[in-house]
Amino acid sequence: MSDREISKRRIAAGMLPEAPPVDRRRLAEFAFDYIRDLLLENHLVAGDSLSAEELATRLGISRYPVMEALK
């Protein structure tokens, strides 16, 4: 039996280790750092509106960490 077949059987049998939990705080910090940098580099100014959905898409993450960062 090949290694690939063994891997497929392990996956099917649920024998793989559990995935580590996603650290949402780190994603929120990542989004916060990005937004802060936009402000510090004058890409955003007071009064500009931010779309959590647009920022999330730009960063490749979900909206939730972006909304946490905006709080």
Side-chain angles (χ1 to χ4, degrees):
M1 185 178 306
S2 72
D3 287 344
R4 183 178 212 126
E5 290 172 338
I6 292 171
S7 292
K8 284 182 180 180
R9 288 183 182 205
R10 285 182 182 161
I11 292 168
M15 295 172 61
L16 295 179
E18 196 170 313
V22 175
D23 189 350
R24 294 184 191 275
R25 180 172 164 82
R26 294 187 100 192
L27 290 176
E29 288 175 5
F30 170 68
F32 178 84
D33 290 344
Y34 178 75
I35 295 164
R36 184 195 62 221
D37 290 345
L38 289 177
L39 291 166
L40 292 175
E41 295 170 6
N42 294 320
H43 295 290
L44 295 174
V45 294
D48 283 349
S49 62
L50 291 173
S51 164
E53 188 169 336
E54 181 182 337
L55 287 169
T57 300
R58 183 174 299 271
L59 295 172
I61 60 177
S62 69
R63 287 188 328 223
Y64 182 78
V66 173
M67 292 186 298
E68 287 294 312
L70 290 171
K71 287 182 184 179

Short mmCIF file of all heavy atoms in Angstrom, two decimals:
data_model
loop_
_atom_site.label_atom_id
_atom_site.label_comp_id
_atom_site.label_asym_id
_atom_site.label_seq_id
_atom_site.Cartn_x
_atom_site.Cartn_y
_atom_site.Cartn_z
N MET A 1 0.86 -1.17 0.00
CA MET A 1 0.00 0.00 0.00
C MET A 1 0.90 1.24 0.00
O MET A 1 1.85 1.32 0.76
CB MET A 1 -0.90 -0.04 1.24
CG MET A 1 -1.89 1.07 1.26
SD MET A 1 -3.03 1.04 2.69
CE MET A 1 -3.70 -0.57 2.63
N SER A 2 0.57 2.20 -0.84
CA SER A 2 1.39 3.41 -0.94
C SER A 2 1.11 4.37 0.22
O SER A 2 0.09 4.26 0.90
CB SER A 2 1.12 4.11 -2.28
OG SER A 2 -0.15 4.73 -2.25
N ASP A 3 2.03 5.31 0.40
CA ASP A 3 1.86 6.32 1.45
C ASP A 3 0.59 7.13 1.22
O ASP A 3 -0.10 7.51 2.16
CB ASP A 3 3.07 7.26 1.50
CG ASP A 3 4.30 6.59 2.08
OD1 ASP A 3 4.16 5.53 2.72
OD2 ASP A 3 5.40 7.14 1.90
N ARG A 4 0.30 7.41 -0.05
CA ARG A 4 -0.89 8.19 -0.38
C ARG A 4 -2.16 7.46 0.04
O ARG A 4 -3.08 8.05 0.59
CB ARG A 4 -0.90 8.50 -1.88
CG ARG A 4 -2.04 9.36 -2.28
CD ARG A 4 -2.00 9.70 -3.77
NE ARG A 4 -2.58 11.01 -3.90
CZ ARG A 4 -2.03 12.02 -4.48
NH1 ARG A 4 -0.87 11.93 -5.04
NH2 ARG A 4 -2.64 13.19 -4.53
N GLU A 5 -2.21 6.15 -0.23
CA GLU A 5 -3.37 5.36 0.17
C GLU A 5 -3.51 5.31 1.68
O GLU A 5 -4.61 5.38 2.23
CB GLU A 5 -3.27 3.94 -0.40
CG GLU A 5 -3.44 3.89 -1.90
CD GLU A 5 -3.15 2.52 -2.47
OE1 GLU A 5 -2.42 1.73 -1.81
OE2 GLU A 5 -3.63 2.23 -3.57
N ILE A 6 -2.38 5.19 2.38
CA ILE A 6 -2.41 5.18 3.85
C ILE A 6 -2.95 6.52 4.36
O ILE A 6 -3.80 6.55 5.26
CB ILE A 6 -1.00 4.88 4.42
CG1 ILE A 6 -0.60 3.45 4.09
CG2 ILE A 6 -0.96 5.13 5.92
CD1 ILE A 6 0.84 3.12 4.40
N SER A 7 -2.49 7.62 3.77
CA SER A 7 -2.96 8.94 4.18
C SER A 7 -4.46 9.08 3.97
O SER A 7 -5.18 9.59 4.82
CB SER A 7 -2.23 10.04 3.40
OG SER A 7 -0.88 10.08 3.76
N LYS A 8 -4.94 8.64 2.81
CA LYS A 8 -6.38 8.72 2.52
C LYS A 8 -7.18 7.93 3.54
O LYS A 8 -8.23 8.37 4.00
CB LYS A 8 -6.67 8.20 1.12
CG LYS A 8 -6.28 9.16 0.02
CD LYS A 8 -6.65 8.59 -1.35
CE LYS A 8 -6.27 9.54 -2.45
NZ LYS A 8 -6.61 9.00 -3.78
N ARG A 9 -6.69 6.75 3.92
CA ARG A 9 -7.40 5.93 4.90
C ARG A 9 -7.40 6.60 6.28
O ARG A 9 -8.38 6.55 7.01
CB ARG A 9 -6.80 4.54 4.98
CG ARG A 9 -7.12 3.71 3.77
CD ARG A 9 -6.58 2.33 3.87
NE ARG A 9 -6.90 1.61 2.64
CZ ARG A 9 -7.00 0.31 2.57
NH1 ARG A 9 -6.82 -0.42 3.64
NH2 ARG A 9 -7.28 -0.26 1.43
N ARG A 10 -6.28 7.22 6.64
CA ARG A 10 -6.21 7.91 7.93
C ARG A 10 -7.19 9.08 7.97
O ARG A 10 -7.85 9.31 8.97
CB ARG A 10 -4.79 8.41 8.19
CG ARG A 10 -3.84 7.33 8.59
CD ARG A 10 -2.49 7.88 8.88
NE ARG A 10 -1.57 6.80 9.23
CZ ARG A 10 -0.27 6.90 9.20
NH1 ARG A 10 0.30 8.03 8.82
NH2 ARG A 10 0.49 5.89 9.52
N ILE A 11 -7.25 9.82 6.87
CA ILE A 11 -8.18 10.95 6.80
C ILE A 11 -9.60 10.44 6.92
O ILE A 11 -10.40 10.97 7.70
CB ILE A 11 -7.98 11.74 5.48
CG1 ILE A 11 -6.63 12.44 5.50
CG2 ILE A 11 -9.11 12.75 5.28
CD1 ILE A 11 -6.20 13.02 4.16
N ALA A 12 -9.94 9.39 6.16
CA ALA A 12 -11.30 8.84 6.18
C ALA A 12 -11.66 8.30 7.56
O ALA A 12 -12.81 8.39 7.99
CB ALA A 12 -11.42 7.74 5.14
N ALA A 13 -10.69 7.76 8.28
CA ALA A 13 -10.96 7.19 9.60
C ALA A 13 -10.89 8.23 10.71
O ALA A 13 -11.11 7.91 11.87
CB ALA A 13 -9.97 6.07 9.88
N GLY A 14 -10.59 9.46 10.37
CA GLY A 14 -10.50 10.50 11.39
C GLY A 14 -9.29 10.35 12.28
O GLY A 14 -9.32 10.70 13.45
N MET A 15 -8.19 9.83 11.74
CA MET A 15 -7.00 9.55 12.53
C MET A 15 -5.97 10.68 12.51
O MET A 15 -4.87 10.51 13.01
CB MET A 15 -6.35 8.26 12.05
CG MET A 15 -7.22 7.03 12.27
SD MET A 15 -6.54 5.54 11.51
CE MET A 15 -4.99 5.37 12.36
N LEU A 16 -6.31 11.80 11.93
CA LEU A 16 -5.36 12.92 11.90
C LEU A 16 -5.46 13.71 13.19
O LEU A 16 -6.53 13.76 13.82
CB LEU A 16 -5.65 13.83 10.71
CG LEU A 16 -5.45 13.19 9.33
CD1 LEU A 16 -5.80 14.19 8.25
CD2 LEU A 16 -4.03 12.70 9.16
N PRO A 17 -4.39 14.36 13.61
CA PRO A 17 -4.46 15.17 14.82
C PRO A 17 -5.41 16.35 14.61
O PRO A 17 -5.61 16.81 13.49
CB PRO A 17 -3.03 15.65 15.04
CG PRO A 17 -2.35 15.47 13.74
CD PRO A 17 -3.06 14.39 13.00
N GLU A 18 -5.97 16.79 15.69
CA GLU A 18 -6.90 17.92 15.64
C GLU A 18 -6.16 19.20 15.25
O GLU A 18 -5.02 19.42 15.66
CB GLU A 18 -7.55 18.10 17.02
CG GLU A 18 -8.77 18.97 16.99
CD GLU A 18 -9.49 18.91 18.31
OE1 GLU A 18 -9.69 17.80 18.83
OE2 GLU A 18 -9.84 19.99 18.81
N ALA A 19 -6.80 20.01 14.44
CA ALA A 19 -6.19 21.27 14.01
C ALA A 19 -6.11 22.22 15.21
O ALA A 19 -6.99 22.22 16.08
CB ALA A 19 -7.02 21.91 12.92
N PRO A 20 -5.05 23.03 15.27
CA PRO A 20 -4.96 23.97 16.38
C PRO A 20 -6.05 25.02 16.26
O PRO A 20 -6.51 25.33 15.15
CB PRO A 20 -3.57 24.61 16.19
CG PRO A 20 -3.24 24.40 14.77
CD PRO A 20 -3.94 23.15 14.35
N PRO A 21 -6.51 25.57 17.37
CA PRO A 21 -7.56 26.58 17.31
C PRO A 21 -7.05 27.85 16.64
O PRO A 21 -5.88 28.19 16.73
CB PRO A 21 -7.91 26.84 18.77
CG PRO A 21 -6.71 26.40 19.53
CD PRO A 21 -6.07 25.31 18.72
N VAL A 22 -7.95 28.52 15.95
CA VAL A 22 -7.60 29.78 15.29
C VAL A 22 -7.50 30.85 16.37
O VAL A 22 -8.38 30.98 17.22
CB VAL A 22 -8.67 30.17 14.25
CG1 VAL A 22 -8.38 31.53 13.67
CG2 VAL A 22 -8.75 29.12 13.17
N ASP A 23 -6.44 31.59 16.35
CA ASP A 23 -6.25 32.65 17.33
C ASP A 23 -6.85 33.94 16.77
O ASP A 23 -6.19 34.69 16.06
CB ASP A 23 -4.75 32.83 17.63
CG ASP A 23 -4.49 33.76 18.79
OD1 ASP A 23 -5.45 34.42 19.26
OD2 ASP A 23 -3.34 33.85 19.22
N ARG A 24 -8.13 34.17 17.08
CA ARG A 24 -8.83 35.33 16.55
C ARG A 24 -8.18 36.64 17.01
O ARG A 24 -8.21 37.63 16.32
CB ARG A 24 -10.30 35.30 16.96
CG ARG A 24 -11.04 34.16 16.34
CD ARG A 24 -12.51 34.24 16.72
NE ARG A 24 -13.21 33.03 16.37
CZ ARG A 24 -13.73 32.77 15.20
NH1 ARG A 24 -13.60 33.66 14.24
NH2 ARG A 24 -14.35 31.66 14.96
N ARG A 25 -7.61 36.64 18.20
CA ARG A 25 -6.97 37.85 18.71
C ARG A 25 -5.82 38.26 17.80
O ARG A 25 -5.64 39.44 17.53
CB ARG A 25 -6.48 37.60 20.14
CG ARG A 25 -5.81 38.78 20.76
CD ARG A 25 -5.53 38.50 22.24
NE ARG A 25 -4.58 39.44 22.78
CZ ARG A 25 -4.89 40.65 23.21
NH1 ARG A 25 -6.12 41.06 23.15
NH2 ARG A 25 -3.97 41.44 23.70
N ARG A 26 -5.07 37.30 17.31
CA ARG A 26 -3.95 37.63 16.43
C ARG A 26 -4.46 38.23 15.12
O ARG A 26 -3.85 39.13 14.58
CB ARG A 26 -3.11 36.39 16.15
CG ARG A 26 -2.43 35.89 17.41
CD ARG A 26 -1.48 34.80 17.11
NE ARG A 26 -0.16 35.43 17.08
CZ ARG A 26 0.92 34.84 16.62
NH1 ARG A 26 0.85 33.65 16.12
NH2 ARG A 26 2.06 35.46 16.65
N LEU A 27 -5.58 37.71 14.59
CA LEU A 27 -6.14 38.27 13.37
C LEU A 27 -6.62 39.70 13.60
O LEU A 27 -6.43 40.57 12.76
CB LEU A 27 -7.29 37.40 12.85
CG LEU A 27 -6.90 36.05 12.27
CD1 LEU A 27 -8.14 35.26 11.89
CD2 LEU A 27 -5.98 36.22 11.07
N ALA A 28 -7.23 39.94 14.77
CA ALA A 28 -7.69 41.29 15.09
C ALA A 28 -6.49 42.23 15.24
O ALA A 28 -6.55 43.38 14.79
CB ALA A 28 -8.53 41.27 16.36
N GLU A 29 -5.42 41.74 15.85
CA GLU A 29 -4.21 42.57 15.97
C GLU A 29 -3.61 42.86 14.61
O GLU A 29 -3.14 43.97 14.35
CB GLU A 29 -3.18 41.87 16.86
CG GLU A 29 -3.57 41.86 18.32
CD GLU A 29 -2.60 41.06 19.17
OE1 GLU A 29 -1.57 40.59 18.64
OE2 GLU A 29 -2.89 40.89 20.36
N PHE A 30 -3.62 41.88 13.72
CA PHE A 30 -3.14 42.06 12.36
C PHE A 30 -3.94 43.15 11.65
O PHE A 30 -3.38 44.06 11.02
CB PHE A 30 -3.23 40.72 11.61
CG PHE A 30 -2.98 40.80 10.14
CD1 PHE A 30 -1.71 41.09 9.65
CD2 PHE A 30 -4.00 40.55 9.24
CE1 PHE A 30 -1.47 41.15 8.29
CE2 PHE A 30 -3.76 40.59 7.87
CZ PHE A 30 -2.50 40.90 7.41
N ALA A 31 -5.26 43.07 11.77
CA ALA A 31 -6.13 44.07 11.14
C ALA A 31 -5.90 45.45 11.78
O ALA A 31 -5.83 46.46 11.07
CB ALA A 31 -7.60 43.66 11.28
N PHE A 32 -5.77 45.48 13.10
CA PHE A 32 -5.53 46.75 13.79
C PHE A 32 -4.23 47.39 13.31
O PHE A 32 -4.18 48.59 13.02
CB PHE A 32 -5.47 46.52 15.30
CG PHE A 32 -5.17 47.77 16.07
CD1 PHE A 32 -6.18 48.65 16.41
CD2 PHE A 32 -3.87 48.07 16.44
CE1 PHE A 32 -5.89 49.81 17.11
CE2 PHE A 32 -3.57 49.24 17.14
CZ PHE A 32 -4.60 50.11 17.48
N ASP A 33 -3.17 46.59 13.21
CA ASP A 33 -1.88 47.11 12.74
C ASP A 33 -2.00 47.68 11.33
O ASP A 33 -1.43 48.73 11.03
CB ASP A 33 -0.81 46.02 12.77
CG ASP A 33 -0.42 45.63 14.19
OD1 ASP A 33 -0.72 46.39 15.14
OD2 ASP A 33 0.20 44.55 14.34
N TYR A 34 -2.75 47.00 10.48
CA TYR A 34 -2.93 47.48 9.10
C TYR A 34 -3.66 48.82 9.09
O TYR A 34 -3.25 49.76 8.41
CB TYR A 34 -3.70 46.43 8.29
CG TYR A 34 -3.98 46.85 6.87
CD1 TYR A 34 -2.97 46.86 5.92
CD2 TYR A 34 -5.25 47.23 6.48
CE1 TYR A 34 -3.21 47.24 4.62
CE2 TYR A 34 -5.51 47.62 5.18
CZ TYR A 34 -4.49 47.62 4.25
OH TYR A 34 -4.73 48.01 2.96
N ILE A 35 -4.74 48.90 9.85
CA ILE A 35 -5.53 50.14 9.90
C ILE A 35 -4.70 51.28 10.50
O ILE A 35 -4.70 52.40 9.99
CB ILE A 35 -6.83 49.92 10.70
CG1 ILE A 35 -7.72 48.92 9.97
CG2 ILE A 35 -7.56 51.23 10.93
CD1 ILE A 35 -8.83 48.34 10.81
N ARG A 36 -3.97 50.98 11.57
CA ARG A 36 -3.09 51.98 12.18
C ARG A 36 -2.07 52.50 11.17
O ARG A 36 -1.84 53.70 11.05
CB ARG A 36 -2.39 51.40 13.40
CG ARG A 36 -1.53 52.45 14.14
CD ARG A 36 -0.57 51.83 15.12
NE ARG A 36 0.35 50.98 14.38
CZ ARG A 36 0.76 49.79 14.78
NH1 ARG A 36 0.35 49.30 15.92
NH2 ARG A 36 1.59 49.07 14.05
N ASP A 37 -1.46 51.57 10.42
CA ASP A 37 -0.48 51.98 9.41
C ASP A 37 -1.11 52.85 8.33
O ASP A 37 -0.49 53.80 7.85
CB ASP A 37 0.20 50.76 8.79
CG ASP A 37 1.12 50.04 9.76
OD1 ASP A 37 1.46 50.63 10.82
OD2 ASP A 37 1.50 48.89 9.46
N LEU A 38 -2.34 52.54 7.94
CA LEU A 38 -3.03 53.38 6.95
C LEU A 38 -3.19 54.80 7.47
O LEU A 38 -3.01 55.77 6.72
CB LEU A 38 -4.42 52.81 6.62
CG LEU A 38 -4.47 51.51 5.81
CD1 LEU A 38 -5.92 51.06 5.66
CD2 LEU A 38 -3.83 51.70 4.44
N LEU A 39 -3.50 54.91 8.75
CA LEU A 39 -3.65 56.25 9.35
C LEU A 39 -2.31 56.96 9.47
O LEU A 39 -2.19 58.13 9.11
CB LEU A 39 -4.31 56.12 10.73
CG LEU A 39 -5.78 55.70 10.72
CD1 LEU A 39 -6.21 55.28 12.11
CD2 LEU A 39 -6.64 56.83 10.19
N LEU A 40 -1.31 56.27 9.97
CA LEU A 40 0.00 56.88 10.18
C LEU A 40 0.68 57.29 8.88
O LEU A 40 1.44 58.26 8.85
CB LEU A 40 0.92 55.94 10.97
CG LEU A 40 0.51 55.68 12.41
CD1 LEU A 40 1.43 54.64 13.05
CD2 LEU A 40 0.53 56.97 13.22
N GLU A 41 0.38 56.58 7.80
CA GLU A 41 0.99 56.90 6.51
C GLU A 41 0.09 57.81 5.67
O GLU A 41 0.32 58.00 4.48
CB GLU A 41 1.30 55.60 5.77
CG GLU A 41 2.35 54.77 6.48
CD GLU A 41 2.50 53.37 5.90
OE1 GLU A 41 1.87 53.05 4.87
OE2 GLU A 41 3.26 52.58 6.49
N ASN A 42 -0.94 58.38 6.31
CA ASN A 42 -1.86 59.33 5.68
C ASN A 42 -2.60 58.78 4.47
O ASN A 42 -2.97 59.52 3.57
CB ASN A 42 -1.13 60.63 5.31
CG ASN A 42 -0.67 61.37 6.53
OD1 ASN A 42 -1.38 61.45 7.53
ND2 ASN A 42 0.53 61.91 6.48
N HIS A 43 -2.84 57.47 4.46
CA HIS A 43 -3.70 56.89 3.42
C HIS A 43 -5.16 57.09 3.80
O HIS A 43 -6.03 57.08 2.94
CB HIS A 43 -3.41 55.40 3.23
CG HIS A 43 -2.04 55.14 2.72
ND1 HIS A 43 -1.65 55.44 1.44
CD2 HIS A 43 -0.95 54.60 3.32
CE1 HIS A 43 -0.39 55.11 1.26
NE2 HIS A 43 0.07 54.59 2.40
N LEU A 44 -5.40 57.27 5.09
CA LEU A 44 -6.72 57.59 5.62
C LEU A 44 -6.60 58.85 6.45
O LEU A 44 -5.59 59.07 7.11
CB LEU A 44 -7.24 56.46 6.52
CG LEU A 44 -7.54 55.12 5.88
CD1 LEU A 44 -7.90 54.11 6.96
CD2 LEU A 44 -8.67 55.24 4.88
N VAL A 45 -7.63 59.66 6.40
CA VAL A 45 -7.65 60.87 7.21
C VAL A 45 -8.96 60.91 7.99
O VAL A 45 -9.90 60.16 7.70
CB VAL A 45 -7.49 62.15 6.35
CG1 VAL A 45 -6.12 62.19 5.71
CG2 VAL A 45 -8.57 62.25 5.30
N ALA A 46 -9.01 61.79 8.96
CA ALA A 46 -10.22 61.93 9.78
C ALA A 46 -11.43 62.16 8.88
O ALA A 46 -11.39 62.95 7.94
CB ALA A 46 -10.06 63.08 10.75
N GLY A 47 -12.49 61.43 9.16
CA GLY A 47 -13.72 61.57 8.39
C GLY A 47 -13.88 60.54 7.29
O GLY A 47 -14.97 60.39 6.75
N ASP A 48 -12.80 59.85 6.91
CA ASP A 48 -12.92 58.80 5.90
C ASP A 48 -13.75 57.66 6.47
O ASP A 48 -13.66 57.34 7.65
CB ASP A 48 -11.54 58.24 5.51
CG ASP A 48 -10.78 59.14 4.57
OD1 ASP A 48 -11.37 60.09 4.04
OD2 ASP A 48 -9.58 58.88 4.36
N SER A 49 -14.55 57.05 5.62
CA SER A 49 -15.33 55.90 6.08
C SER A 49 -14.59 54.62 5.72
O SER A 49 -13.92 54.55 4.69
CB SER A 49 -16.73 55.90 5.46
OG SER A 49 -16.64 55.79 4.06
N LEU A 50 -14.70 53.65 6.60
CA LEU A 50 -14.07 52.35 6.39
C LEU A 50 -15.14 51.28 6.27
O LEU A 50 -16.08 51.27 7.05
CB LEU A 50 -13.16 52.00 7.57
CG LEU A 50 -11.90 52.81 7.75
CD1 LEU A 50 -11.21 52.42 9.05
CD2 LEU A 50 -10.97 52.59 6.59
N SER A 51 -14.98 50.41 5.34
CA SER A 51 -15.88 49.28 5.20
C SER A 51 -15.17 48.05 5.75
O SER A 51 -14.10 47.67 5.26
CB SER A 51 -16.21 49.07 3.72
OG SER A 51 -16.76 47.79 3.50
N ALA A 52 -15.76 47.46 6.77
CA ALA A 52 -15.16 46.25 7.36
C ALA A 52 -15.07 45.15 6.31
O ALA A 52 -14.09 44.41 6.26
CB ALA A 52 -15.98 45.78 8.55
N GLU A 53 -16.07 45.06 5.45
CA GLU A 53 -16.07 44.03 4.41
C GLU A 53 -14.93 44.26 3.41
O GLU A 53 -14.23 43.33 3.04
CB GLU A 53 -17.40 44.02 3.69
CG GLU A 53 -17.54 42.86 2.74
CD GLU A 53 -18.96 42.71 2.22
OE1 GLU A 53 -19.89 43.16 2.89
OE2 GLU A 53 -19.09 42.14 1.14
N GLU A 54 -14.72 45.51 3.00
CA GLU A 54 -13.64 45.82 2.06
C GLU A 54 -12.27 45.55 2.68
O GLU A 54 -11.39 44.97 2.05
CB GLU A 54 -13.73 47.28 1.62
CG GLU A 54 -12.66 47.69 0.64
CD GLU A 54 -12.72 49.16 0.26
OE1 GLU A 54 -13.80 49.76 0.40
OE2 GLU A 54 -11.68 49.69 -0.14
N LEU A 55 -12.10 45.97 3.94
CA LEU A 55 -10.82 45.71 4.62
C LEU A 55 -10.58 44.22 4.79
O LEU A 55 -9.46 43.75 4.60
CB LEU A 55 -10.80 46.41 5.98
CG LEU A 55 -10.66 47.92 5.95
CD1 LEU A 55 -10.92 48.50 7.33
CD2 LEU A 55 -9.29 48.32 5.47
N ALA A 56 -11.62 43.48 5.14
CA ALA A 56 -11.49 42.04 5.33
C ALA A 56 -11.08 41.37 4.02
O ALA A 56 -10.20 40.51 4.01
CB ALA A 56 -12.80 41.46 5.84
N THR A 57 -11.68 41.79 2.93
CA THR A 57 -11.33 41.23 1.63
C THR A 57 -9.90 41.56 1.28
O THR A 57 -9.14 40.70 0.82
CB THR A 57 -12.28 41.78 0.54
OG1 THR A 57 -13.62 41.40 0.87
CG2 THR A 57 -11.93 41.23 -0.82
N ARG A 58 -9.49 42.80 1.51
CA ARG A 58 -8.13 43.24 1.21
C ARG A 58 -7.11 42.45 2.03
O ARG A 58 -6.04 42.11 1.54
CB ARG A 58 -7.99 44.72 1.49
CG ARG A 58 -6.64 45.31 1.15
CD ARG A 58 -6.65 46.81 1.31
NE ARG A 58 -7.61 47.44 0.45
CZ ARG A 58 -7.34 47.85 -0.80
NH1 ARG A 58 -6.16 47.67 -1.30
NH2 ARG A 58 -8.27 48.44 -1.52
N LEU A 59 -7.45 42.12 3.29
CA LEU A 59 -6.53 41.41 4.18
C LEU A 59 -6.65 39.89 4.06
O LEU A 59 -5.82 39.16 4.60
CB LEU A 59 -6.78 41.83 5.63
CG LEU A 59 -6.47 43.28 5.95
CD1 LEU A 59 -6.92 43.63 7.35
CD2 LEU A 59 -4.99 43.57 5.78
N GLY A 60 -7.70 39.42 3.41
CA GLY A 60 -7.88 37.98 3.26
C GLY A 60 -8.34 37.29 4.52
O GLY A 60 -8.00 36.13 4.76
N ILE A 61 -9.11 38.01 5.35
CA ILE A 61 -9.64 37.45 6.59
C ILE A 61 -11.14 37.73 6.64
O ILE A 61 -11.67 38.44 5.79
CB ILE A 61 -8.93 38.03 7.83
CG1 ILE A 61 -9.08 39.55 7.91
CG2 ILE A 61 -7.45 37.65 7.82
CD1 ILE A 61 -8.46 40.19 9.14
N SER A 62 -11.82 37.22 7.64
CA SER A 62 -13.25 37.48 7.78
C SER A 62 -13.48 38.87 8.37
O SER A 62 -12.56 39.52 8.85
CB SER A 62 -13.90 36.41 8.65
OG SER A 62 -13.48 36.54 9.98
N ARG A 63 -14.72 39.29 8.34
CA ARG A 63 -15.06 40.63 8.84
C ARG A 63 -14.93 40.74 10.36
O ARG A 63 -14.65 41.80 10.89
CB ARG A 63 -16.50 41.00 8.46
CG ARG A 63 -16.66 41.32 7.01
CD ARG A 63 -18.05 41.85 6.74
NE ARG A 63 -19.03 41.26 7.63
CZ ARG A 63 -20.21 40.84 7.27
NH1 ARG A 63 -20.59 40.92 6.03
NH2 ARG A 63 -21.05 40.33 8.14
N TYR A 64 -15.15 39.63 11.07
CA TYR A 64 -15.16 39.69 12.53
C TYR A 64 -13.87 40.27 13.12
O TYR A 64 -13.94 41.19 13.95
CB TYR A 64 -15.46 38.30 13.11
CG TYR A 64 -15.54 38.31 14.61
CD1 TYR A 64 -16.68 38.78 15.26
CD2 TYR A 64 -14.47 37.89 15.38
CE1 TYR A 64 -16.75 38.81 16.63
CE2 TYR A 64 -14.53 37.91 16.75
CZ TYR A 64 -15.67 38.37 17.38
OH TYR A 64 -15.73 38.41 18.73
N PRO A 65 -12.68 39.77 12.73
CA PRO A 65 -11.46 40.37 13.29
C PRO A 65 -11.30 41.84 12.92
O PRO A 65 -10.78 42.63 13.71
CB PRO A 65 -10.33 39.54 12.69
CG PRO A 65 -10.94 38.32 12.16
CD PRO A 65 -12.37 38.63 11.87
N VAL A 66 -11.76 42.21 11.74
CA VAL A 66 -11.68 43.62 11.31
C VAL A 66 -12.58 44.46 12.20
O VAL A 66 -12.19 45.55 12.66
CB VAL A 66 -12.06 43.79 9.83
CG1 VAL A 66 -12.14 45.25 9.44
CG2 VAL A 66 -11.06 43.05 8.94
N MET A 67 -13.79 43.98 12.48
CA MET A 67 -14.70 44.74 13.35
C MET A 67 -14.14 44.84 14.75
O MET A 67 -14.26 45.89 15.40
CB MET A 67 -16.09 44.09 13.34
CG MET A 67 -16.77 44.24 11.98
SD MET A 67 -18.48 43.66 11.93
CE MET A 67 -18.31 41.94 12.31
N GLU A 68 -13.47 43.78 15.24
CA GLU A 68 -12.83 43.83 16.54
C GLU A 68 -11.71 44.89 16.54
O GLU A 68 -11.54 45.63 17.49
CB GLU A 68 -12.25 42.47 16.91
CG GLU A 68 -13.27 41.44 17.29
CD GLU A 68 -13.99 41.80 18.57
OE1 GLU A 68 -13.32 42.15 19.56
OE2 GLU A 68 -15.24 41.73 18.57
N ALA A 69 -10.97 44.95 15.45
CA ALA A 69 -9.88 45.93 15.35
C ALA A 69 -10.42 47.35 15.32
O ALA A 69 -9.81 48.26 15.88
CB ALA A 69 -9.06 45.66 14.09
N LEU A 70 -11.56 47.55 14.70
CA LEU A 70 -12.13 48.89 14.61
C LEU A 70 -12.71 49.37 15.95
O LEU A 70 -12.85 50.56 16.15
CB LEU A 70 -13.22 48.93 13.53
CG LEU A 70 -12.70 48.81 12.09
CD1 LEU A 70 -13.88 48.65 11.14
CD2 LEU A 70 -11.86 50.00 11.73
N LYS A 71 -13.02 48.42 16.83
CA LYS A 71 -13.54 48.81 18.15
C LYS A 71 -12.46 49.54 18.91
O LYS A 71 -12.59 50.36 19.69
CB LYS A 71 -14.00 47.59 18.94
CG LYS A 71 -15.27 47.00 18.43
CD LYS A 71 -15.65 45.83 19.30
CE LYS A 71 -16.89 45.15 18.78
NZ LYS A 71 -17.25 44.01 19.58
#
